[in-house]
Amino acid sequence: MILTRREALVGGVAGATLAASPALGTVPFPSQRPDASARRFTSRAVEREIARVSAKIGDAKLRWMFANCYPNTLDTTVRLRTIDGAPDAFVITGDIPCLWLRDSSAQMTPYLHLAREDAPLRTVFRGLIARQARSILIDPYANAFMEDPSAKTTLSWALTDKTEMKPGVAERKWEIDSLCYPMRLAHGYWQATRDPTPFDARWAAAARLSIATFRAQQRKDGPGPYRFLRVSDRNIETMPLEGLGNPSRSVGLIHCGFRPSDDACLYPFLIPANLFAVTVLRELAVVAQGARGDAALAQEATALADEVARALAEHGRMRLRDGSDVWAYEVDGFGNAIFMDDANVPSLSGLGYLGCVAPNDPLWLRTQAAAWSPANPYFFKGKAGEGIGGPHVGLRQIWPMSLIVRALSSDDPATIRACLKTLRDTDAGTGFMHETFDQDDPAQFTRSWFAWANGLFGELIVRIAHTRPALLEAPL
């Protein structure tokens, strides 16, 4: 039995009996979406996109899963209201009623290409960008936030954390990607709409605070203000050395407390997160200049990106036992490094998807190949399929997210098709993506309501429909 702390909040148990699964031999499958009257938000553009893409999918089950998954964020997680006359969108992760900066950004990304044509959808994006800016200004070291900015955390596992917990903060794990993803969302929205509305003085203040936080965590002048300790029987839930993390030598990289899995880093320089930071800082500069004419903010972002990029070139690589030169997963600046990969993005295998490297970059291709091999201790292969997991749930547990990202990163039709088939066949009949499934038994899974994975799957299908529609035409 697998029980994660997130499922503990809602009483979910992996492998528990779910609602009766649809008969997989019948067509059509019954929709698993909420009734129209119960949906949190409905976008006409998204509904048209579901119909357009579904018409291209020849596999009945895959078509059903796409229609369930793609709108899941809008159907179930968006809480839209008005604050001071402007939209506010609080986007929960799914089975946890809190906003993660990372998850909320990724959850809305699959709809960016539709925002220009749908004014109500633009309102949601404006509201989320505003909510993220307000959250960062509460505490740039926090990864998750409460809907009520004056409320104390209600997350059972965070109630006694030894860190500076402020009102409005749900969890305070310092993760580089928590500040990267709002930059990525802002850039995506600006590129899709050229709408300057969300990029006001508050957004600029949050952007400047994000840059200042990255600089503080370069730790050039001491360890900085962040500490985190948690009483737990899992070492990945707390940070060593009185909450400072393991030692690092200041080399220009950004020190990280936790991975995007919310698991503690072993070595404090998380390389995929630093690579992502370089990419999104350059994107932030584009938004600052284009949407605000803020040359100073653009210059701040670009200068830090250049500095971290130089440090990555010098300290971010390692050699595997077979002599392969690859990106390391984590380093400490003293010359120590580990190679592994975790399914949560930013990951080494996700660098192509994130645009941190060119799709044909030899260094990244070697790194990706190693991540999808026994060189990665969290690469699992069993009767149900193969994929990447991570320490968060444990051994043998494959994250569908890793398969989705592999397909999004690949230009090989056979690889994409294989990923699609595994994703189709490991949903345990629910019609949705999960956090993980057992490598031999997909009926054993964690998180039946995980909106990030659902949206990412929808993003994959939309991408294939646009770039390789022939892959979708026939049943898998």
Side-chain angles (χ1 to χ4, degrees):
M1 180 170 62
I2 304 160
L3 181 64
T4 70
R5 68 177 188 279
R6 292 184 173 184
E7 289 175 313
L9 182 71
V10 293
V13 177
T17 301
L18 304 178
S21 300
L24 300 186
T26 62
V27 179
F29 301 107
S31 173
Q32 300 301 296
R33 298 179 65 184
D35 291 339
S37 62
R39 294 171 190 169
R40 290 281 185 174
F41 183 86
T42 300
S43 160
R44 291 183 179 179
V46 170
E47 297 302 319
R48 288 194 297 269
E49 187 76 337
I50 294 170
R52 181 188 73 83
V53 174
S54 293
K56 298 176 180 290
I57 304 173
D59 188 288
K61 187 183 178 187
L62 194 71
R63 182 169 61 246
W64 171 67
M65 292 174 67
F66 169 72
N68 294 332
C69 290
Y70 186 58
N72 187 244
T73 285
L74 298 182
D75 282 355
T76 66
T77 72
V78 172
R79 301 176 179 181
L80 185 63
R81 62 176 181 170
T82 300
I83 296 179
D84 298 329
D88 170 72
F90 190 83
V91 179
I92 66 173
T93 68
D95 55 15
I96 312 175
C98 299
L99 177 144
W100 260 252
L101 292 174
R102 170 189 59 250
D103 292 43
S104 61
S105 301
Q107 286 168 236
M108 288 298 296
T109 293
Y111 314 125
L112 277 168
H113 69 292
L114 303 172
R116 183 186 291 273
E117 64 184 88
D118 190 328
L121 187 58
R122 289 197 299 278
T123 298
V124 178
F125 278 106
R126 290 172 181 171
L128 178 56
I129 291 169
R131 167 63 77 147
Q132 290 179 340
R134 283 195 294 270
S135 298
I136 291 167
L137 290 170
I138 290 172
D139 186 354
Y141 286 103
N143 56 328
F145 294 85
M146 304 293 293
E147 186 170 9
D148 179 356
S150 66
K152 294 183 179 180
T153 185
T154 56
L155 300 182
S156 59
W157 57 83
L159 292 174
T160 59
D161 288 348
K162 295 181 180 180
T163 189
E164 187 183 355
M165 289 291 286
K166 299 178 180 179
V169 170
E171 187 172 58
R172 194 173 190 250
K173 288 183 170 179
W174 162 236
E175 303 167 7
I176 292 172
D177 66 277
S178 290
L179 297 182
C180 290
Y181 269 100
M183 297 180 193
R184 167 57 56 90
L185 182 69
H187 180 261
Y189 181 76
W190 172 245
Q191 292 295 101
T193 66
R194 287 297 191 267
D195 172 20
T197 307
F199 307 113
D200 56 12
R202 178 177 53 214
W203 176 84
R208 285 191 163 87
L209 181 57
S210 298
I211 294 171
T213 303
F214 283 159
R215 286 208 172 276
Q217 287 304 314
Q218 287 179 299
R219 299 195 175 186
K220 294 179 179 179
D221 301 309
Y226 180 73
R227 308 283 193 284
F228 184 93
L229 287 169
R230 172 176 290 174
V231 176
S232 175
D233 59 1
R234 304 174 77 220
N235 66 312
I236 55 176
E237 286 296 319
T238 191
M239 293 175 62
L241 296 181
E242 300 182 348
L244 284 172
N246 281 322
S248 62
R249 184 169 68 89
S250 179
V251 294
L253 295 171
I254 302 167
H255 196 285
C256 193
F258 291 85
R259 301 164 179 167
S261 58
D262 300 339
D263 295 340
C265 295
L266 175 61
Y267 294 138
F269 296 136
L270 180 58
I271 297 304
N274 272 266
L275 284 160
F276 192 31
V278 170
T279 302
V280 298
L281 283 165
R282 299 197 195 287
E283 293 176 348
L284 173 61
V286 170
V287 180
Q289 187 65 59
R292 291 182 51 81
D294 192 335
L297 176 55
Q299 195 280 327
E300 284 182 56
T302 300
L304 179 55
D306 290 345
E307 182 179 344
V308 177
R310 288 192 295 269
L312 282 162
E314 185 173 354
H315 300 282
R317 294 157 71 160
M318 65 181 294
R319 287 200 177 274
L320 300 180
R321 291 185 65 185
D322 65 1
S324 299
D325 177 36
V326 297
W327 287 113
Y329 188 69
E330 291 171 350
V331 304
D332 63 1
F334 292 106
N336 299 303
I338 59 168
F339 184 82
M340 56 167 278
D341 204 18
D342 188 298
N344 286 265
V345 183
S347 58
L348 291 176
S349 51
L351 293 175
Y353 162 68
L354 291 173
C356 300
V357 296
N360 59 351
D361 176 68
L363 173 60
W364 176 65
L365 290 175
R366 289 194 302 271
T367 305
Q368 183 197 42
W372 279 81
S373 82
N376 174 14
Y378 295 102
F379 171 74
F380 305 122
K381 186 173 183 178
K383 297 176 183 177
E386 64 179 38
I388 296 172
H392 191 71
V393 177
L395 302 178
R396 299 172 46 90
Q397 305 305 308
I398 296 170
W399 290 62
M401 187 178 295
S402 71
L403 291 150
I404 298 169
V405 169
R406 188 181 199 194
L408 282 165
S409 306
S410 179
D411 61 1
D412 175 37
T415 297
I416 298 170
R417 186 177 176 85
C419 289
L420 287 176
K421 189 175 187 305
T422 302
L423 291 165
R424 184 199 65 178
D425 295 343
T426 55
D427 73 318
T430 66
F432 291 102
M433 296 293 104
H434 301 130
E435 180 185 47
T436 68
F437 63 88
D438 181 86
Q439 66 181 35
D440 292 325
D441 182 7
Q444 301 291 322
F445 64 85
T446 58
R447 298 190 74 180
S448 58
W449 181 18
F450 186 24
W452 181 9
N454 288 328
L456 196 63
F457 174 74
E459 182 181 344
L460 169 62
I461 300 299
V462 171
R463 173 88 63 87
I464 296 172
H466 177 66
T467 60
R468 295 180 179 273
L471 282 176
L472 298 176
E473 290 175 359
L476 296 173

